[in-house]
Amino acid sequence: MEYVLIVIAIIVFGLVATAGLVVGTRHRGRGTPSRERPRPGVDHRPGVGDDAEIPRDTPRRTVDTVDLPEHLGSPAPPAGIEAEADADAKLLDREFEQLARDAELAEVLEVPAPAAGRLVRLRERLARSQNSLGRGLLVLLSRDNLDEEVWEDVEATLLVADVGVIPTQELVESLRVRVKVLGARRPADVRALLRDELLAQIGTSTNRSLAVAVDGRPANVLVVGVNGTGKTTTCGKIARLLVADGRTVVLGAADTFRAAAADQLETWGSRVGAQTVRGSEGGDPASVAFDSAKRGISAGADVVVIDTAGRLHTKAGLMDELVKIKRVVTKLGPVDEVLLVLDATTGQNAVEQARVFTRAVDITGIVLTKLDGTAKGGIVIAVQRELGVAVKLVGLGEGPDDLAPFDPEAFVDALLGDPPN
Protein backbone atom coordinates (compact mmCIF):
# COMPACT_ATOMS: atom_id res chain seq x y z
CA MET A 1 0.00 0.00 0.00
CA GLU A 2 2.81 2.33 0.91
CA TYR A 3 4.49 1.55 -2.36
CA VAL A 4 1.36 2.51 -4.24
CA LEU A 5 1.18 5.89 -2.51
CA ILE A 6 4.82 6.57 -3.30
CA VAL A 7 4.32 5.82 -7.00
CA ILE A 8 1.25 8.05 -7.15
CA ALA A 9 3.18 10.94 -5.47
CA ILE A 10 6.02 10.59 -7.95
CA ILE A 11 3.61 10.70 -10.90
CA VAL A 12 1.83 13.80 -9.52
CA PHE A 13 5.16 15.59 -8.92
CA GLY A 14 6.25 14.80 -12.45
CA LEU A 15 3.05 16.18 -13.89
CA VAL A 16 3.35 19.38 -11.86
CA ALA A 17 6.97 19.85 -12.92
CA THR A 18 6.13 19.27 -16.56
CA ALA A 19 3.31 21.85 -16.42
CA GLY A 20 5.69 24.43 -14.92
CA LEU A 21 8.20 23.96 -17.71
CA VAL A 22 5.53 24.44 -20.35
CA VAL A 23 4.29 27.66 -18.74
CA GLY A 24 7.85 29.04 -18.47
CA THR A 25 8.55 28.27 -22.08
CA ARG A 26 5.45 30.14 -23.14
CA HIS A 27 6.45 33.19 -21.10
CA ARG A 28 9.94 33.21 -22.68
CA GLY A 29 8.44 33.02 -26.21
CA ARG A 30 6.44 36.14 -25.59
CA GLY A 31 9.51 37.91 -24.22
CA THR A 32 9.61 40.56 -21.56
CA PRO A 33 6.69 42.95 -21.96
CA SER A 34 7.94 46.35 -23.27
CA ARG A 35 6.73 49.65 -22.04
CA GLU A 36 3.86 50.84 -24.15
CA ARG A 37 3.80 54.42 -25.51
CA PRO A 38 1.23 56.41 -23.59
CA ARG A 39 -1.96 57.16 -25.40
CA PRO A 40 -3.74 60.50 -25.03
CA GLY A 41 -6.48 60.46 -22.42
CA VAL A 42 -5.27 57.31 -20.66
CA ASP A 43 -3.84 57.47 -17.13
CA HIS A 44 -0.65 55.46 -17.06
CA ARG A 45 1.08 54.71 -13.82
CA PRO A 46 4.66 53.54 -13.55
CA GLY A 47 4.95 49.83 -13.76
CA VAL A 48 7.75 47.40 -13.37
CA GLY A 49 10.81 48.69 -15.17
CA ASP A 50 9.33 52.21 -15.68
CA ASP A 51 11.20 55.30 -14.51
CA ALA A 52 8.97 56.75 -11.85
CA GLU A 53 10.80 60.13 -12.04
CA ILE A 54 9.69 60.77 -15.65
CA PRO A 55 6.07 61.86 -15.94
CA ARG A 56 4.19 59.45 -18.17
CA ASP A 57 2.50 62.31 -20.01
CA THR A 58 5.92 63.60 -21.28
CA PRO A 59 6.29 62.64 -24.97
CA ARG A 60 9.34 60.64 -25.69
CA ARG A 61 11.84 61.84 -28.35
CA THR A 62 11.88 59.77 -31.48
CA VAL A 63 14.67 59.28 -33.99
CA ASP A 64 13.49 62.07 -36.27
CA THR A 65 13.84 64.65 -33.49
CA VAL A 66 17.34 63.60 -32.43
CA ASP A 67 20.13 66.12 -33.24
CA LEU A 68 22.55 63.97 -35.21
CA PRO A 69 26.25 64.87 -35.35
CA GLU A 70 27.30 66.74 -38.48
CA HIS A 71 29.10 63.73 -39.97
CA LEU A 72 25.99 61.54 -39.54
CA GLY A 73 23.37 63.81 -41.02
CA SER A 74 22.79 66.29 -43.88
CA PRO A 75 21.04 69.28 -42.34
CA ALA A 76 19.63 71.88 -44.75
CA PRO A 77 22.18 74.65 -45.63
CA PRO A 78 21.68 78.07 -44.06
CA ALA A 79 19.64 80.55 -46.08
CA GLY A 80 21.68 82.22 -48.89
CA ILE A 81 24.39 79.57 -49.12
CA GLU A 82 22.91 77.99 -52.24
CA ALA A 83 22.56 81.41 -53.92
CA GLU A 84 26.18 82.28 -53.09
CA ALA A 85 27.42 78.96 -54.43
CA ASP A 86 25.41 79.54 -57.60
CA ALA A 87 26.90 83.01 -58.04
CA ASP A 88 30.44 81.68 -57.48
CA ALA A 89 29.88 78.99 -60.10
CA LYS A 90 28.62 81.54 -62.62
CA LEU A 91 31.60 83.80 -61.88
CA LEU A 92 34.00 80.93 -62.51
CA ASP A 93 32.19 80.15 -65.75
CA ARG A 94 32.59 83.77 -66.89
CA GLU A 95 36.26 83.78 -65.95
CA PHE A 96 36.88 80.59 -67.91
CA GLU A 97 34.98 82.04 -70.88
CA GLN A 98 37.08 85.21 -70.73
CA LEU A 99 40.28 83.17 -70.57
CA ALA A 100 39.11 81.20 -73.60
CA ARG A 101 38.33 84.42 -75.49
CA ASP A 102 41.72 85.88 -74.54
CA ALA A 103 43.47 82.73 -75.70
CA GLU A 104 41.51 82.77 -78.94
CA LEU A 105 42.28 86.47 -79.44
CA ALA A 106 45.98 85.88 -78.80
CA GLU A 107 45.98 83.31 -81.57
CA VAL A 108 44.39 85.62 -84.15
CA LEU A 109 46.15 88.91 -83.33
CA GLU A 110 48.06 90.24 -86.29
CA VAL A 111 51.61 91.52 -86.12
CA PRO A 112 51.79 94.83 -88.04
CA ALA A 113 54.72 95.47 -90.33
CA PRO A 114 57.44 97.69 -88.83
CA ALA A 115 57.75 101.27 -90.03
CA ALA A 116 61.18 100.62 -91.58
CA GLY A 117 59.76 98.10 -94.02
CA ARG A 118 56.98 100.47 -94.95
CA LEU A 119 59.44 103.10 -96.10
CA VAL A 120 60.77 100.65 -98.65
CA ARG A 121 57.25 100.09 -99.97
CA LEU A 122 56.74 103.86 -99.96
CA ARG A 123 59.46 104.33 -102.55
CA GLU A 124 58.31 101.36 -104.63
CA ARG A 125 54.72 102.54 -104.79
CA LEU A 126 55.57 106.16 -105.49
CA ALA A 127 58.02 105.15 -108.18
CA ARG A 128 55.22 103.30 -109.98
CA SER A 129 52.47 105.89 -109.58
CA GLN A 130 54.21 109.23 -109.41
CA ASN A 131 57.03 108.91 -111.92
CA SER A 132 55.19 110.98 -114.53
CA LEU A 133 56.14 114.13 -112.61
CA GLY A 134 59.79 113.29 -112.11
CA ARG A 135 60.41 111.73 -115.51
CA GLY A 136 58.52 114.48 -117.27
CA LEU A 137 60.73 117.13 -115.66
CA LEU A 138 63.90 115.15 -116.36
CA VAL A 139 63.04 114.81 -120.04
CA LEU A 140 62.31 118.53 -120.36
CA LEU A 141 65.38 119.78 -118.51
CA SER A 142 67.74 117.40 -120.32
CA ARG A 143 67.10 119.01 -123.70
CA ASP A 144 69.94 120.76 -125.44
CA ASN A 145 67.96 123.94 -125.98
CA LEU A 146 66.00 125.19 -122.99
CA ASP A 147 63.90 127.92 -124.58
CA GLU A 148 60.81 129.64 -123.17
CA GLU A 149 58.54 126.99 -124.52
CA VAL A 150 60.41 124.33 -122.55
CA TRP A 151 60.18 126.40 -119.37
CA GLU A 152 56.46 126.83 -119.88
CA ASP A 153 56.16 123.08 -120.17
CA VAL A 154 58.14 122.69 -116.93
CA GLU A 155 55.78 125.12 -115.20
CA ALA A 156 52.69 123.33 -116.55
CA THR A 157 54.04 119.98 -115.38
CA LEU A 158 54.48 121.30 -111.84
CA LEU A 159 51.03 122.90 -111.79
CA VAL A 160 49.35 119.72 -113.02
CA ALA A 161 51.11 117.86 -110.22
CA ASP A 162 49.40 120.21 -107.71
CA VAL A 163 52.61 121.80 -106.51
CA GLY A 164 50.77 125.11 -106.26
CA VAL A 165 51.16 128.44 -108.04
CA ILE A 166 53.64 130.17 -105.76
CA PRO A 167 55.86 127.12 -105.15
CA THR A 168 55.84 126.44 -108.91
CA GLN A 169 56.99 129.95 -109.70
CA GLU A 170 59.77 129.69 -107.14
CA LEU A 171 60.87 126.31 -108.46
CA VAL A 172 61.00 127.44 -112.10
CA GLU A 173 62.93 130.59 -111.25
CA SER A 174 65.49 128.69 -109.18
CA LEU A 175 65.88 126.04 -111.88
CA ARG A 176 66.45 128.67 -114.56
CA VAL A 177 69.27 130.25 -112.57
CA ARG A 178 70.97 127.00 -111.63
CA VAL A 179 70.78 125.49 -115.12
CA LYS A 180 72.21 128.69 -116.61
CA VAL A 181 75.04 128.90 -114.08
CA LEU A 182 75.92 125.22 -113.93
CA GLY A 183 75.11 124.44 -117.51
CA ALA A 184 73.57 121.14 -116.42
CA ARG A 185 72.41 119.03 -119.34
CA ARG A 186 73.31 115.46 -118.44
CA PRO A 187 70.41 113.46 -116.93
CA ALA A 188 72.35 112.75 -113.73
CA ASP A 189 73.09 116.46 -113.21
CA VAL A 190 69.51 117.47 -113.96
CA ARG A 191 68.21 114.89 -111.52
CA ALA A 192 70.53 116.11 -108.77
CA LEU A 193 69.44 119.69 -109.42
CA LEU A 194 65.73 118.78 -109.33
CA ARG A 195 66.23 116.74 -106.18
CA ASP A 196 67.79 119.66 -104.33
CA GLU A 197 65.06 122.08 -105.38
CA LEU A 198 62.17 119.77 -104.48
CA LEU A 199 63.68 118.98 -101.09
CA ALA A 200 64.10 122.70 -100.45
CA GLN A 201 60.40 123.20 -101.15
CA ILE A 202 59.28 120.26 -98.99
CA GLY A 203 61.70 120.86 -96.15
CA THR A 204 64.04 118.37 -94.54
CA SER A 205 64.42 119.88 -91.08
CA THR A 206 60.74 119.82 -90.07
CA ASN A 207 59.76 117.58 -87.17
CA ARG A 208 57.42 114.98 -88.67
CA SER A 209 57.19 112.55 -85.77
CA LEU A 210 53.87 111.94 -84.03
CA ALA A 211 53.64 113.43 -80.53
CA VAL A 212 52.80 110.14 -78.83
CA ALA A 213 55.67 109.83 -76.34
CA VAL A 214 54.16 111.42 -73.22
CA ASP A 215 55.23 110.66 -69.65
CA GLY A 216 52.66 109.82 -67.01
CA ARG A 217 49.53 109.81 -69.19
CA PRO A 218 48.24 108.63 -72.57
CA ALA A 219 48.86 110.84 -75.59
CA ASN A 220 45.57 112.06 -77.12
CA VAL A 221 45.33 112.07 -80.92
CA LEU A 222 42.30 113.59 -82.66
CA VAL A 223 41.71 112.63 -86.30
CA VAL A 224 39.57 115.02 -88.40
CA GLY A 225 38.65 115.60 -92.03
CA VAL A 226 35.82 115.80 -94.55
CA ASN A 227 33.63 112.93 -95.69
CA GLY A 228 35.24 110.32 -97.90
CA THR A 229 38.88 110.93 -97.06
CA GLY A 230 39.21 107.64 -95.18
CA LYS A 231 39.44 108.87 -91.59
CA THR A 232 38.18 105.69 -89.92
CA THR A 233 40.45 103.49 -91.99
CA THR A 234 43.32 105.87 -91.26
CA CYS A 235 42.64 105.60 -87.51
CA GLY A 236 42.86 101.83 -87.77
CA LYS A 237 46.11 102.04 -89.71
CA ILE A 238 47.55 104.54 -87.21
CA ALA A 239 46.76 102.03 -84.45
CA ARG A 240 48.66 99.35 -86.37
CA LEU A 241 51.61 101.68 -86.86
CA LEU A 242 51.71 102.47 -83.12
CA VAL A 243 51.35 98.81 -82.09
CA ALA A 244 54.21 97.94 -84.44
CA ASP A 245 56.23 100.50 -82.48
CA GLY A 246 55.42 98.68 -79.23
CA ARG A 247 52.70 101.02 -77.95
CA THR A 248 49.29 100.17 -76.49
CA VAL A 249 46.32 101.92 -78.06
CA VAL A 250 42.72 102.82 -77.22
CA LEU A 251 40.48 103.75 -80.16
CA GLY A 252 37.57 106.17 -79.70
CA ALA A 253 34.62 105.79 -82.11
CA ALA A 254 33.34 109.37 -81.90
CA ASP A 255 31.80 109.17 -85.37
CA THR A 256 28.35 108.33 -84.03
CA PHE A 257 26.41 109.44 -87.12
CA ARG A 258 27.65 106.81 -89.55
CA ALA A 259 26.21 103.47 -88.54
CA ALA A 260 29.14 101.33 -89.67
CA ALA A 261 31.91 103.61 -88.40
CA ALA A 262 32.11 102.14 -84.88
CA ASP A 263 31.96 98.55 -86.16
CA GLN A 264 34.64 99.31 -88.72
CA LEU A 265 36.93 100.88 -86.12
CA GLU A 266 36.37 98.05 -83.66
CA THR A 267 37.33 95.53 -86.34
CA TRP A 268 40.57 97.39 -87.00
CA GLY A 269 41.34 97.51 -83.28
CA SER A 270 40.56 93.86 -82.57
CA ARG A 271 43.11 92.74 -85.15
CA VAL A 272 45.97 94.20 -83.12
CA GLY A 273 44.52 94.02 -79.60
CA ALA A 274 43.51 97.67 -79.29
CA GLN A 275 40.46 98.51 -77.15
CA THR A 276 37.61 100.42 -78.80
CA VAL A 277 35.27 102.78 -76.94
CA ARG A 278 31.94 103.39 -78.63
CA GLY A 279 28.61 105.02 -77.82
CA SER A 280 25.05 104.73 -78.98
CA GLU A 281 24.25 105.44 -82.61
CA GLY A 282 23.48 109.13 -83.04
CA GLY A 283 24.81 109.90 -79.55
CA ASP A 284 26.97 112.79 -78.45
CA PRO A 285 30.41 112.54 -80.10
CA ALA A 286 32.01 114.66 -77.37
CA SER A 287 30.81 112.19 -74.74
CA VAL A 288 32.41 109.28 -76.61
CA ALA A 289 35.64 111.24 -76.98
CA PHE A 290 35.66 111.96 -73.23
CA ASP A 291 35.00 108.30 -72.37
CA SER A 292 37.82 107.27 -74.73
CA ALA A 293 40.32 109.55 -73.02
CA LYS A 294 39.11 108.28 -69.65
CA ARG A 295 39.50 104.65 -70.73
CA GLY A 296 43.01 105.40 -71.93
CA ILE A 297 43.92 106.63 -68.46
CA SER A 298 42.30 103.71 -66.59
CA ALA A 299 43.81 101.14 -68.95
CA GLY A 300 47.27 102.69 -68.77
CA ALA A 301 47.40 102.97 -72.57
CA ASP A 302 50.17 104.83 -74.38
CA VAL A 303 47.96 106.49 -77.00
CA VAL A 304 44.26 107.31 -77.45
CA VAL A 305 43.26 107.77 -81.11
CA ILE A 306 39.82 109.39 -81.55
CA ASP A 307 37.95 109.11 -84.84
CA THR A 308 35.49 111.93 -85.62
CA ALA A 309 32.61 112.24 -88.04
CA GLY A 310 33.31 113.57 -91.50
CA ARG A 311 32.14 117.12 -91.88
CA LEU A 312 31.96 119.61 -94.70
CA HIS A 313 34.44 122.38 -94.14
CA THR A 314 31.74 124.85 -95.22
CA LYS A 315 29.39 123.94 -92.34
CA ALA A 316 30.08 126.18 -89.34
CA GLY A 317 27.90 124.14 -86.96
CA LEU A 318 29.85 120.96 -87.60
CA MET A 319 33.13 122.76 -87.12
CA ASP A 320 31.87 124.10 -83.78
CA GLU A 321 31.11 120.54 -82.73
CA LEU A 322 34.72 119.63 -83.48
CA VAL A 323 35.86 122.44 -81.21
CA LYS A 324 33.62 121.01 -78.45
CA ILE A 325 35.14 117.55 -78.84
CA LYS A 326 38.63 118.91 -78.40
CA ARG A 327 37.59 121.03 -75.43
CA VAL A 328 35.97 118.07 -73.65
CA VAL A 329 39.03 115.84 -74.12
CA THR A 330 41.32 118.52 -72.67
CA LYS A 331 39.50 118.17 -69.34
CA LEU A 332 41.39 114.91 -68.90
CA GLY A 333 44.61 115.89 -70.64
CA PRO A 334 45.99 117.96 -73.51
CA VAL A 335 45.26 116.99 -77.10
CA ASP A 336 48.77 116.23 -78.34
CA GLU A 337 48.00 115.75 -82.03
CA VAL A 338 45.19 116.92 -84.32
CA LEU A 339 45.72 115.08 -87.59
CA LEU A 340 43.89 116.28 -90.70
CA VAL A 341 43.23 113.53 -93.24
CA LEU A 342 43.30 114.79 -96.84
CA ASP A 343 42.57 112.94 -100.05
CA ALA A 344 45.55 113.56 -102.35
CA THR A 345 43.36 113.09 -105.43
CA THR A 346 41.33 116.23 -104.64
CA GLY A 347 44.29 118.50 -105.38
CA GLN A 348 43.91 122.17 -104.54
CA ASN A 349 40.49 121.57 -102.94
CA ALA A 350 42.33 119.72 -100.18
CA VAL A 351 44.27 122.90 -99.47
CA GLU A 352 41.05 124.85 -98.96
CA GLN A 353 39.72 122.14 -96.63
CA ALA A 354 42.91 122.25 -94.64
CA ARG A 355 42.72 126.01 -94.28
CA VAL A 356 39.23 125.89 -92.69
CA PHE A 357 40.05 123.02 -90.34
CA THR A 358 43.19 124.77 -89.19
CA ARG A 359 41.20 127.83 -88.15
CA ALA A 360 38.87 125.61 -86.10
CA VAL A 361 41.13 123.22 -84.20
CA ASP A 362 44.80 124.07 -84.77
CA ILE A 363 45.95 121.22 -86.98
CA THR A 364 49.33 119.77 -85.95
CA GLY A 365 49.90 117.33 -88.81
CA ILE A 366 48.63 116.19 -92.21
CA VAL A 367 47.83 112.65 -93.33
CA LEU A 368 47.71 112.35 -97.12
CA THR A 369 45.75 109.34 -98.34
CA LYS A 370 45.45 107.80 -101.82
CA LEU A 371 48.86 108.93 -103.03
CA ASP A 372 49.05 105.65 -104.93
CA GLY A 373 46.09 106.62 -107.09
CA THR A 374 47.35 109.89 -108.49
CA ALA A 375 50.38 111.43 -110.11
CA LYS A 376 49.76 114.65 -108.21
CA GLY A 377 52.40 114.24 -105.54
CA GLY A 378 53.03 117.97 -105.55
CA ILE A 379 50.12 118.38 -103.09
CA VAL A 380 52.67 117.67 -100.36
CA ILE A 381 54.46 120.90 -101.20
CA ALA A 382 51.27 122.92 -101.65
CA VAL A 383 49.58 121.97 -98.39
CA GLN A 384 52.71 122.52 -96.35
CA ARG A 385 53.41 125.88 -97.90
CA GLU A 386 49.81 127.03 -97.45
CA LEU A 387 49.39 125.93 -93.83
CA GLY A 388 52.86 125.75 -92.40
CA VAL A 389 51.88 122.28 -91.13
CA ALA A 390 54.01 119.22 -91.79
CA VAL A 391 52.85 116.13 -93.67
CA LYS A 392 53.47 113.38 -91.14
CA LEU A 393 51.87 110.29 -92.67
CA VAL A 394 51.07 109.15 -96.20
CA GLY A 395 48.69 106.45 -97.37
CA LEU A 396 49.87 104.42 -100.32
CA GLY A 397 47.32 101.68 -100.86
CA GLU A 398 44.46 99.55 -99.60
CA GLY A 399 46.58 97.22 -97.47
CA PRO A 400 46.39 97.40 -93.66
CA ASP A 401 50.03 98.46 -93.39
CA ASP A 402 50.04 100.88 -96.35
CA LEU A 403 50.36 103.91 -94.08
CA ALA A 404 53.90 105.15 -93.63
CA PRO A 405 55.72 107.98 -91.88
CA PHE A 406 56.51 110.66 -94.42
CA ASP A 407 60.16 110.82 -95.40
CA PRO A 408 60.95 113.79 -97.70
CA GLU A 409 64.07 112.25 -99.24
CA ALA A 410 62.42 108.91 -99.94
CA PHE A 411 59.44 110.76 -101.38
CA VAL A 412 61.50 112.91 -103.76
CA ASP A 413 63.67 109.95 -104.81
CA ALA A 414 60.50 108.05 -105.64
CA LEU A 415 59.18 110.99 -107.67
CA LEU A 416 62.37 111.22 -109.71
CA GLY A 417 63.03 107.51 -110.06
CA ASP A 418 66.42 105.82 -109.83
CA PRO A 419 69.46 107.90 -110.87
CA PRO A 420 70.54 107.25 -114.46
CA ASN A 421 73.83 105.40 -114.96
Side-chain angles (χ1 to χ4, degrees):
M1 187 64 179
E2 293 179 350
Y3 292 107
V4 172
L5 292 174
I6 292 171
V7 170
I8 293 172
I10 292 172
I11 293 172
V12 172
F13 180 81
L15 292 173
V16 172
T18 302
L21 289 173
V22 170
V23 172
T25 303
R26 289 178 179 175
H27 279 289
R28 284 194 300 271
R30 289 197 300 268
T32 303
S34 61
R35 284 177 286 183
E36 295 180 357
R37 191 178 300 277
R39 290 176 294 177
V42 180
D43 182 20
H44 293 274
R45 290 186 173 84
V48 178
D50 284 340
D51 190 345
E53 296 180 0
I54 301 177
R56 295 306 299 264
D57 57 350
T58 302
R60 298 180 179 274
R61 303 183 70 187
T62 57
V63 175
D64 57 357
T65 62
V66 175
D67 293 331
L68 296 177
E70 185 177 353
H71 67 283
L72 295 179
S74 301
I81 292 294
E82 291 184 357
E84 291 179 7
D86 216 22
D88 290 343
K90 291 180 179 179
L91 179 60
L92 286 173
D93 288 342
R94 287 195 298 270
E95 290 178 350
F96 279 122
E97 289 174 2
Q98 184 61 49
L99 287 172
R101 284 195 297 269
D102 291 344
E104 182 180 355
L105 182 63
E107 292 178 1
V108 300
L109 285 182
E110 299 177 7
V111 180
R118 301 181 187 199
L119 295 179
V120 174
R121 294 201 305 279
L122 164 67
R123 178 164 181 167
E124 292 174 351
R125 288 182 179 274
L126 286 177
R128 289 197 301 268
S129 62
Q130 305 287 353
N131 56 19
S132 61
L133 170 62
R135 291 185 181 180
L137 291 175
L138 285 172
V139 169
L140 289 172
L141 294 176
S142 298
R143 293 181 180 179
D144 294 332
N145 182 23
L146 295 179
D147 54 21
E148 286 301 318
E149 184 177 352
V150 172
W151 287 113
E152 288 177 2
D153 289 341
V154 170
E155 184 173 344
T157 300
L158 292 170
L159 289 173
V160 169
D162 283 328
V163 173
V165 176
I166 295 178
T168 293
Q169 292 174 348
E170 293 177 357
L171 264 171
V172 171
E173 187 62 30
S174 181
L175 287 171
R176 278 176 176 267
V177 172
R178 293 192 64 179
V179 167
K180 186 176 181 179
V181 171
L182 298 176
R185 290 293 186 276
R186 293 185 307 131
D189 296 335
V190 172
R191 185 188 183 283
L193 185 150
L194 269 175
R195 186 178 189 277
D196 291 344
E197 292 299 324
L198 289 172
L199 284 175
Q201 290 290 333
I202 294 173
T204 57
S205 60
T206 305
N207 181 13
R208 300 179 187 277
S209 61
L210 294 177
V212 293
V214 181
D215 293 331
R217 64 171 179 84
N220 294 311
V221 178
L222 196 61
V223 181
V224 302
V226 301
N227 295 310
T229 56
K231 291 184 311 305
T232 301
T233 298
T234 298
C235 288
K237 292 182 178 182
I238 289 173
R240 295 181 67 89
L241 189 65
L242 294 171
V243 169
D245 196 33
R247 302 183 188 278
T248 54
V249 180
V250 168
L251 293 170
D255 182 355
T256 60
F257 299 108
R258 187 165 63 91
D263 293 337
Q264 183 182 354
L265 192 65
E266 192 167 23
T267 299
W268 277 102
S270 64
R271 292 175 179 174
V272 291
Q275 300 182 48
T276 300
V277 178
R278 54 189 298 172
S280 59
E281 185 176 340
D284 182 15
S287 176
V288 177
F290 181 84
D291 291 343
S292 303
K294 189 175 181 180
R295 174 73 64 82
I297 294 172
S298 63
D302 296 317
V303 188
V304 177
V305 180
I306 301 173
D307 181 27
T308 63
R311 59 203 70 239
L312 295 174
H313 58 288
T314 56
K315 300 294 184 180
L318 294 175
M319 300 306 292
D320 291 341
E321 183 183 76
L322 201 57
V323 175
K324 176 186 175 183
I325 292 174
K326 182 180 179 182
R327 184 176 66 249
V328 166
V329 173
T330 56
K331 293 181 179 180
L332 296 174
V335 175
D336 303 280
E337 286 278 7
V338 180
L339 299 177
L340 174 62
V341 181
L342 297 175
D343 184 341
T345 63
T346 61
Q348 292 300 308
N349 189 44
V351 177
E352 179 60 28
Q353 295 171 16
R355 188 181 295 114
V356 177
F357 274 93
T358 300
R359 287 198 296 264
V361 286
D362 296 328
I363 303 300
T364 60
I366 303 294
V367 182
L368 276 176
T369 64
K370 305 180 185 179
L371 269 177
D372 61 320
T374 177
K376 299 183 177 184
I379 189 63
V380 173
I381 297 173
V383 74
Q384 289 191 156
R385 285 291 301 272
E386 180 66 28
L387 304 176
V389 178
V391 172
K392 295 190 173 183
L393 298 169
V394 287
L396 301 163
E398 300 292 337
D401 293 326
D402 285 340
L403 184 74
F406 181 69
D407 183 322
E409 295 191 3
F411 179 75
V412 171
D413 285 339
L415 287 178
L416 297 177
D418 294 329
N421 296 327

